[in-house]
Amino acid sequence: MVSKTIQTASPYLEGVYQPVLEEITARDLTVMGEIPRDLNGLFAHNGANPRFPPGAGHSWFDGDGMVHGIELNDGDAIFRSRFIKTQGLAEDLKAGEATYVGSLAMPGQGKRHKNVANTDLVYHSGKFLALWWEGGTPHELTLPDLETRGTFDYQNTLTGGLTSHSKLDPRTGELFFISWAPKPPFLNIGVASEDGRITRFSEVPLPGPRVQHDMALSDRYIGVFDFPLMMDFKRPDQKALGFVLDDETPARIALVDRKDESAAIKWFDIKPCFMWHISSAWDEGYEFVLVGARLDGATRHTKSGAILDDLPLVDGEHRFDSHPYMWRLNTRTGAVTERQLDDSFVEFPRVNDHHICSGARYSYMARIDINQPTLEAQGIYKYDLATGSRTDLKLPMHHIASEMSFAPRDGAKREDDGYLIGFVTDKQRMTSEFWITPADSIEDGPVARIKLPQRVPPKFHGRWVDAEAFRTA
Ligand SMILES: [Fe+2]
């Protein structure tokens, strides 16, 4: 039987997180400042927005996918909000209630694994695709209207789930992704060609099931992780699924050769940790360099019995006290060096996507205040990895942001020749804006603040698509 419990106690269903049910298209928006005319395209941000009060075991990560988009054209803006019309949402709409349970529901509590397509977006093979963290068939959205066209299975060549945080090599047009499962094979890597077919799908052997989320890509390697984070079925009087970090097992990074499928996978032991999100990776001589937001301990529970509840948690489980961090893996000697880049708390790191695998100098990370009860960006840091310096996009009091993306301006010449873009919400007024901030001087603040007719709940991951990708179609 499906539980109909409404978990109103969840901070991720209340306040600014309250779902918005109306789909809107709005023009003639009020703008403070001026929208740059050299920024033309569409930004969409994906996130969780439960259409109905959720069932048992609901997590923030389980809500129905909704994209909020801003289309920019020669200084004008159009705002759109659209549910992603998944099969699971259609089932709920037919029933008039949530018919699935969440990812923290115990086995037997109801129908699960609803591909909500709520996590990430990628523009690949001429299609704008919404991806899901658990891994499923991508959902294609139209541009610029953001309507759901249906699922896209890469011309029937996708044989496993395609997880969010796939990495697109801008030079080859190939999309690299992971596919993970609680049963063997626990982890596969996949490659999709620019013409929309899966060209590689191969196992990376792991000693057991692992919760996966992100991956890395350089010009030579696909980087995947063996972080010993797993579902926890063994708590006393357990009423909901949890996660446990096996802090007695080393964390490892695997480097898989991009071109030579027969090459042995290179494994590197690193200090115990977990990482939801990487920033970027690149090759430097024989070194594979990786930057991301690293956690000492990912969860409240560890296998050795520690209960780490001194910090706020997402859904009572996930810690978010991450720091910016760099690993250097020597692919010749096997040596590993690693270091924390800053003692600030950060999440949702992003770079200029054109530099995702070839050496991004600048990383834009959401600044997190761990004294807040939920994972919210209190501002954005721009890290210059070449100099170690940091600049800060500050938000007015009571305002929060989500991840912010980089969008190159037309004719951009430098890596940071463009804008940092994203939604900002006033928690007191419960109103949202879209901010456009020159990326080479974020400390000076935005040049445009577009007032929106609808609150935008804090979201997961966004993507900028240049106008030529859809206006010439
Ligand atoms: Fe993510």
Side-chain angles (χ1 to χ4, degrees), residues 18-82:
Q18 236 174 6
V20 290
L21 301 185
E22 198 179 355
E23 297 183 325
I24 284 178
T25 302
R27 300 162 196 269
D28 302 320
L29 303 166
T30 301
V31 180
M32 294 166 62
E34 196 168 339
I35 299 172
R37 290 174 183 267
D38 60 2
L39 184 61
N40 293 284
L42 180 139
F43 172 75
H45 207 152
N46 206 348
N49 192 63
R51 174 63 181 77
F52 294 100
H58 178 73
S59 154
W60 181 33
F61 309 124
D62 296 328
D64 294 296
M66 180 178 249
V67 282
H68 287 84
I70 288 280
E71 182 185 356
L72 298 174
N73 184 16
D74 197 28
D76 285 331
I78 304 172
F79 170 77
R80 296 180 180 88
S81 52
R82 299 285 186 274

Side-chain angles (χ1 to χ4, degrees), residues 119 133 164-165 213-214 276-277 348 460-461:
T119 316
W133 64 276
S164 54
H165 297 294
H213 195 74
D214 206 341
W276 290 111
H277 298 120
F348 297 128
F460 300 138
H461 305 292

Side-chain angles (χ1 to χ4, degrees), residues 53-115:
H58 178 73
S59 154
W60 181 33
F61 309 124
D62 296 328
D64 294 296
M66 180 178 249
V67 282
H68 287 84
I70 288 280
E71 182 185 356
L72 298 174
N73 184 16
D74 197 28
D76 285 331
I78 304 172
F79 170 77
R80 296 180 180 88
S81 52
R82 299 285 186 274
F83 276 102
I84 301 175
K85 312 299 191 306
T86 64
Q87 176 64 32
L89 179 58
E91 291 167 36
D92 289 359
L93 287 167
K94 189 174 177 189
E97 62 180 1
T99 64
Y100 283 76
V101 295
S103 55
L104 299 179
M106 292 298 282
Q109 279 193 289
K111 193 167 59 173
R112 55 197 308 135
H113 300 304
K114 181 184 186 183
N115 179 355

